[in-house]
Amino acid sequence: MLLEVRDLHVEFRTREGAAHAVNGVSYAVDAGETLAVLGESGSGKSVTAQAVMGILDMPPGRITGGRILFQGQDLLRMRERERRRIRGAGMAMIFQDALSALNPVLSVGDQLAEMFVVHRGASRKQARARAVELMERVRIPAAAQRVRDYPHQFSGGMRQRIMIAMALALEPALIIADEPTTALDVTVQAQVMELLAELQREYRMGLVLITHDLGVVADVADRIAVMYAGKIVESAPVRDLYKAPAHPYTRGLLDSVPRLDRKGQELYAIKGLPPSLLRVPPGCAFHPRCPMARDVCRTDEPPLYTVSGSRGSACHFWRECLDG
Ligand SMILES: Nc1ncnc2c1ncn2[C@@H]1O[C@H](COP(=O)(O)OP(=O)(O)O)[C@@H](O)[C@H]1O
Ligand code: SF4
Ligand SMILES: [Mg+2]
């Protein structure tokens, strides 16, 4: 397995107490596989990713339990030097906002070239040539000229392509893309997502694709992990999950996505808001919002039940949910 997150716990110390941002998350991604991590804002998707990348704000963040295995090695037990090497060449991250992730005072060509100079010992000239190649690879028009431009001179979609190029530069085994298209217009979103999926296949990378938009993942992901209040509540192959969700929260998310085959039907949005992580409801954290909730849901926390070999649901009534 390329990446395995096992029972990860992350807390943030706040004035009002410990906020359990990640509360026993486990997921795995293999080479050539795309895992979509889905959930509303605040569910712990980014914090999990930051723990994997080793870029979590500590303090106030603290990893209080679990393991993160990358190619079998536990990242949480590794020396910082080794960790940094993996962060450079083994895994890379793509963020939502390229403008704040890229250096505003360096041309994009210099930023790309820097990767090859620092990590591959390339000469300036070789590095510059590689930078242009990469920009062509992510389909930046007139790459040979635009290599001298600064990040703010590109459109949002083009900047996102440049960030993808940066992430790809050292051909990492794993890419974590955290809402890579959320800031873009819908048409540009689809193009950038297609490009990312194409490169992922070509390089046989593992891809963790974080999103709050279920519409984005249908065509590109192999598996989906749905997060709610710091936990994974459903984990399944994409096709199974689309056919029939095994958790009411997933059902709510699916019913909030406009679908061609359900034209004319009113969009259903999940009522209410996700809980504060300082005061997660007892029992099933989703119970105050769940249309299927019963007494047991308010007292007994559901474990991640096995639905089938590779599928799990943290709902006491997953069978009923599955049957629709
Ligand atoms: N640097 C931080 N300091 C304090 N709390 C944080 C910090 N980063 C994240 N959190 C808290 O952790 C929770 C999960 O955040 P995050 O993983 O960013 O959610 P999302 O699923 O939207 O990516 C949020 O409730 C947020 O308030
Ligand atoms: S355990 Fe109960 S409250 Fe939680 S999702 Fe299932 S039915 Fe809803
Ligand atoms: Mg996030």
Side-chain angles (χ1 to χ4, degrees):
M1 197 54 74
L2 178 62
L3 173 73
E4 257 187 287
V5 177
R6 287 194 198 155
D7 197 26
L8 185 71
H9 290 256
V10 182
E11 283 179 11
F12 286 97
R13 295 270 170 89
T14 74
R15 229 171 284 165
E16 294 154 88
H20 300 273
V22 178
N23 219 334
V25 163
S26 301
Y27 62 57
V29 198
D30 221 337
E33 195 182 41
T34 296
L35 169 76
V37 178
L38 189 79
E40 285 164 293
S41 172
S43 54
K45 307 181 298 293
S46 296
V47 169
T48 305
Q50 287 157 10
V52 172
M53 279 302 288
I55 56 169
L56 192 64
D57 276 338
M58 297 196 285
R62 206 158 66 96
I63 295 174
T64 52
R67 306 178 73 186
I68 302 173
L69 304 174
F70 180 70
Q71 295 172 331
Q73 289 178 287
D74 192 343
L75 296 179
L76 299 179
R77 304 230 155 98
M78 209 171 260
R79 284 166 208 271
E80 184 48 34
R81 191 157 158 265
E82 181 65 2
R83 192 79 203 266
R84 223 176 303 140
R85 196 186 58 76
I86 288 180
R87 192 154 58 229
M91 53 172 81
M93 194 149 168
I94 298 168
F95 299 91
Q96 176 177 333
D97 179 9
L99 208 49
S100 58
L102 296 169
N103 187 334
V105 299
L106 279 183
S107 72
V108 298
D110 281 346
Q111 287 181 65
L112 284 167
E114 185 75 8
M115 308 277 289
F116 299 109
V117 173
V118 171
H119 293 276
R120 293 281 187 264
S123 70
R124 281 276 148 206
K125 195 167 164 226
Q126 287 168 333
R128 177 58 69 119
R130 291 285 288 124
V132 174
E133 267 172 47
L134 262 177
M135 285 173 69
E136 282 166 350
R137 196 66 203 76
V138 296
R139 300 200 208 101
I140 309 264
Q145 285 90 60
R146 300 225 59 188
V147 73
R148 287 182 205 85
D149 288 349
Y150 291 83
H152 73 268
Q153 293 172 288
F154 291 85
S155 69
M158 287 298 149
R159 267 201 300 271
Q160 217 57 14
R161 286 166 191 267
I162 290 161
M163 192 150 52
I164 292 173
M166 295 274 289
L168 281 175
L170 304 175
E171 300 188 17
L174 175 74
I175 285 195
I176 301 180
D178 192 353
E179 312 253 6
T181 62
T182 299
L184 305 175
D185 296 340
V186 176
T187 47
V188 182
Q189 265 184 16
Q191 291 161 4
V192 170
M193 193 52 71
E194 257 167 50
L195 173 72
L196 187 59
E198 178 194 317
L199 294 167
Q200 180 268 332
R201 278 193 300 273
E202 188 183 316
Y203 291 80
R204 269 193 62 76
M205 293 178 296
L207 175 64
V208 177
L209 176 63
I210 298 171
T211 176
H212 65 268
D213 182 358
L214 193 50
V216 161
V217 301
D219 302 326
V220 297
D222 300 298
R223 294 186 59 82
I224 297 194
V226 181
M227 284 190 73
Y228 189 77
K231 292 198 164 150
I232 290 183
V233 294
E234 179 164 7
S235 165
V238 167
R239 229 163 280 152
D240 298 353
L241 183 137
Y242 268 82
K243 212 180 290 164
H247 195 286
Y249 180 60
T250 313
R251 176 171 297 275
L253 293 175
L254 272 173
D255 289 348
S256 319
V257 179
R259 280 166 60 152
L260 292 174
D261 56 338
R262 293 205 202 147
K263 229 178 188 165
Q265 275 188 29
E266 206 175 307
L267 280 187
Y268 164 90
I270 303 163
K271 65 170 190 199
L273 291 171
S276 153
L277 296 172
L278 290 164
R279 279 171 298 276
V280 176
C284 173
F286 186 54
H287 84 251
R289 303 172 73 189
C290 181
M292 281 175 59
R294 271 163 254 184
D295 284 345
V296 63
C297 304
R298 296 181 237 301
T299 50
D300 294 12
E301 187 180 339
L304 193 71
Y305 295 105
T306 301
V307 172
S308 68
S310 62
R311 186 162 190 196
S313 164
C315 172
H316 294 304
F317 303 105
W318 63 265
R319 272 198 188 82
E320 279 175 46
C321 186
L322 208 54
D323 292 342

